Amino acid sequence: MIVLAHGPLLALTKEEHLLLWVSVLVGVLLLGAIIIARVDRWRKRQMEPDDDEADHVTSFRELYENGELSKEEYDRVLRRVAERVGATPRATVSQPSPSVPQTTPPPNPPATEEPPNPPPG
């Protein structure tokens, strides 16, 4: 304790000492809570998955199939995504017909020489 010629510098009563130490304790607790909240936020951010490139490609593929993107634009997007991921781009989707919906019937099964036998029973 620092003492001057006239007495101690911080002449506090018991209540004032208690109030001082309680306020110091509350301050330390608040600081600890802030640090814990920051670390928790940082940890959660580290655990989040990165952008899912497959979802981006799927959305661009839908735009391309709807005719909102040209073939060149779609190929450029695929190349950029592949560069970001560090992979080679896969084969692109074939050019859809923008005005004619694709409603071709499924192909008929190959013809057999004998008709199928009816089920027993």
Side-chain angles (χ1 to χ4, degrees), residues 11-82:
L12 301 174
T13 64
K14 274 187 168 182
E15 292 82 17
E16 290 171 336
H17 274 287
L18 181 64
L19 183 62
L20 174 70
W21 286 112
V22 167
S23 60
V24 167
L25 180 62
V26 167
V28 167
L29 288 174
L30 283 174
L31 181 64
I34 290 170
I35 290 172
I36 289 173
R38 291 283 199 158
V39 168
D40 188 49
R41 187 184 313 163
W42 172 80
R43 181 185 57 85
K44 287 180 181 176
R45 200 175 308 136
Q46 295 299 318
M47 293 179 70
E48 288 178 359
D50 291 337
D51 290 336
D52 191 13
E53 302 295 338
D55 289 342
H56 292 299
V57 171
T58 304
S59 64
F60 284 116
R61 181 177 298 141
E62 289 172 1
L63 290 172
Y64 172 66
E65 289 172 353
N66 293 337
E68 297 176 33
L69 283 178
S70 69
K71 175 104 171 103
E72 293 79 23
E73 291 170 327
Y74 181 69
D75 289 339
R76 190 171 0 149
V77 168
L78 282 182
R79 277 193 304 274
R80 285 186 182 173
V81 169

Side-chain angles (χ1 to χ4, degrees), residues 1-4 7-10:
M1 188 176 276
I2 300 175
V3 179
L4 294 176
L9 180 62
L10 295 174

